[in-house]
Amino acid sequence: MAEPQVFEDAAQDAQEEDAPLIQDGDREPDSKRCSSVSSLRQYQVYRRRWFYLAVVCLINSSNAMLWISFAPVANLTASYFNCSLDTVNYLALVYVIVSIPIGFVASWLLDTLGLRYAVIISSWLNMLGSIVRGASAIELLNTGNSKLYYLFVGQCICAVAQPLVLFVPAKLAAVWFPEHQRATANMIASMSNPFGIFLANILSPVIVSKAEQIPILHGVYGIPAVLACTLATAGFTKRAPPTPPSASAHNSTSEPFFSGLKQLMKNKAYIVLMICFGTGLGVFTAFSTFLEQILCFKDYSNFISGLCGALFILFGAVGALLCGLYVDRTKKFTEVVKISFVMSALTITVFAVVSNLRNQTVLLVIICSLLGFFGFANYPIAMELAVECSYPVGEGSSTGLAFISGQVQGLIFMMLLQLLAKPYAATSLSACGTSQTEIYDWSLSSLVMAGVCSIGACIFVTFFHTDYKRLKAEAKSDEDGNGHDTNST
């Protein structure tokens, strides 16, 4: 029985190398480490991974809150900063614009320098951006239109952090979590971003009932940014666990960054996923940004639009949780993504029709809840699917390129939808407020948004087919008896 001895020796070596991380009290019981006796002998998991996951979730949520903080109170924000609604929309649009070029840098950094540097750098950028944003509320620092300058500079710094924040979940799941927990870990970390959007949709209308209360928003959303940076800097001390949690983590053969990009561009299944996932992400970005303005034209209040946005995210988290658990058990990545994509397209089409009707609050709430349930269930599973169909390309590259596709398409959609929106004169009875000289009819934009999502769903269902390359590699590694040297880091 030489194999158990190899495991014991490797574990002892790992303890000597990194004793504080894998002390007896920090290591999980054998029964929880892996789902098979073979894995039990080869791989270890560490409770520290849950702390790392929590830190990533906090950064992700904070960054999302900073991104969408003004969208639920767009009319009051425009009044406070004495600017147009288009300018307020640019506060969200700047995230999309900045993240496109920065996304390539983030992918390289994540796959080259590793998880620890990506998390710490993103946390510092996120905190600094929130502080600079807050300077717009300090009267001594503001002359003329300088409030807007501070606001946009701070928003740009936060936007630089976003690609790193969003690329991290798949890498964290691959490096720290065993095979039977990867999809769930990715789901939790990924859904923390829309959870931040959920909090912003709830908190912003509650905090800001009049324009003069906008500065309070900066302080409230700055607190989690500072906390996340502190925890990441002090607690994120390891690039990888001393012993790997799975065969793919042990046999890490990720391609060099530029070589990996070339492989991705030759992978037909990945290209279909990248384009169609980007379409879905772009549509959902536009939907989250313009929801308040779409509904206010038909006299739905900020509270109603905030409630719809919040339930959109809340039910999205439920859908992602259920799908993540299901996929971890069944490995049916493709089936789940295709069904979710089709249902999202159908639901957003219904929204495009109902949002043009007045006094349909209950129906709108139900539709937004269903749209979130199916739409956000797609996101973390699609990220895992991108890794599966492109293995052994690095997780940062495969998920990063798909995200960049979403940002590019999101930028195009947001600009197009704004152009298609028809201006109307505001009245004293408008739910959008009286401070704007005009409001916009988004009915045509909503229909275009639904049409684009439907086309993306049809293309994905018809043309996407792939093998699960990472799972196959892990199965082959177990059959061959490779990866026993658990002292590898």
Side-chain angles (χ1 to χ4, degrees), residues 57-323:
C57 288
L58 183 57
I59 300 171
N60 225 330
S61 296
S62 171
N63 188 261
M65 291 168 68
L66 293 169
W67 167 47
I68 209 71
S69 54
F70 299 111
V73 288
N75 54 330
L76 299 176
T77 303
S79 177
Y80 177 79
F81 288 103
N82 194 26
C83 63
S84 66
L85 279 173
D86 283 345
T87 302
V88 177
N89 290 337
Y90 285 132
L91 289 170
L93 190 61
V94 74
Y95 260 64
V96 181
I97 296 172
V98 171
S99 64
I100 293 171
I102 297 298
F104 292 100
V105 179
S107 295
W108 171 84
L109 191 152
L110 189 57
D111 281 339
T112 304
L113 299 183
L115 188 65
R116 177 172 177 260
Y117 286 100
V119 171
I120 293 176
I121 291 172
S122 63
S123 69
W124 274 92
L125 287 170
N126 192 58
M127 182 183 71
L128 291 174
S130 70
I131 293 173
V132 174
R133 276 178 25 137
S136 65
I138 302 176
E139 293 297 333
L140 293 177
L141 299 177
N142 294 291
T143 57
N145 290 328
S146 61
K147 287 196 296 187
L148 274 178
Y149 297 147
Y150 285 116
L151 190 61
F152 272 93
V153 170
Q155 198 78 347
C156 286
I157 296 174
C158 294
V160 173
Q162 189 194 44
L164 278 172
V165 169
L166 292 180
F167 298 177
V168 158
K171 189 75 170 181
L172 178 71
V175 171
W176 280 92
F177 286 81
E179 174 268 336
H180 65 282
Q181 292 179 349
R182 278 198 304 249
T184 302
N186 195 346
M187 177 275 301
I188 294 172
S190 297
M191 289 308 299
S192 61
N193 187 272
F195 180 71
I197 300 174
F198 164 78
L199 290 178
N201 276 285
I202 289 291
L203 291 176
S204 290
V206 171
I207 296 170
V208 181
S209 58
K210 52 186 178 180
E212 293 75 16
Q213 295 172 328
I214 288 291
I216 302 175
L217 214 62
H218 296 308
V220 171
Y221 291 156
I223 293 173
V226 174
L227 178 61
C229 183
T230 303
L231 291 175
T233 305
F236 222 104
T237 58
K238 301 298 173 185
R239 176 174 177 172
T243 53
S246 65
S248 61
H250 173 83
N251 300 317
S252 181
T253 57
S254 295
E255 295 290 328
F257 179 70
F258 291 104
S259 175
L261 291 182
K262 291 180 181 179
Q263 287 197 28
L264 291 177
M265 291 299 97
K266 296 178 182 178
N267 188 328
K268 293 181 181 179
Y270 179 82
I271 291 175
V272 172
L273 175 63
M274 177 185 71
I275 294 173
C276 295
F277 171 79
T279 299
L281 181 59
V283 168
F284 274 66
T285 299
F287 178 86
S288 299
T289 304
F290 297 138
L291 178 60
E292 184 263 351
Q293 295 173 61
I294 292 172
L295 295 182
C296 81
F297 180 72
K298 293 298 181 180
D299 292 330
Y300 295 100
S301 67
N302 280 358
F303 173 79
I304 297 302
S305 60
L307 177 64
C308 287
L311 292 175
F312 172 66
I313 305 301
L314 180 62
F315 277 84
V318 174
L321 174 61
L322 295 177
C323 289

Side-chain angles (χ1 to χ4, degrees), residues 388-471:
E388 291 291 344
C389 76
S390 62
Y391 185 84
V393 176
E395 296 86 0
S397 299
S398 57
T399 59
L401 205 60
F403 171 77
I404 293 171
S405 169
Q407 296 298 78
V408 171
Q409 293 187 63
L411 175 61
I412 294 171
F413 297 155
M414 290 173 74
M415 295 177 66
L416 175 63
L417 297 180
Q418 280 188 283
L419 288 174
L420 293 175
K422 298 178 182 179
Y424 278 79
T427 68
S428 59
L429 299 178
S430 172
C432 301
T434 60
S435 59
Q436 285 77 48
T437 57
E438 59 185 21
I439 58 176
Y440 291 88
D441 177 3
W442 292 81
S443 56
L444 179 59
S445 300
S446 300
L447 291 171
V448 170
M449 188 163 53
V452 169
C453 191
S454 299
I455 292 171
C458 291
I459 293 174
F460 186 78
V461 170
T462 304
F463 295 105
F464 182 80
H465 307 282
T466 187
D467 293 327
Y468 301 149
K469 298 178 181 179
R470 181 171 60 175
L471 289 177

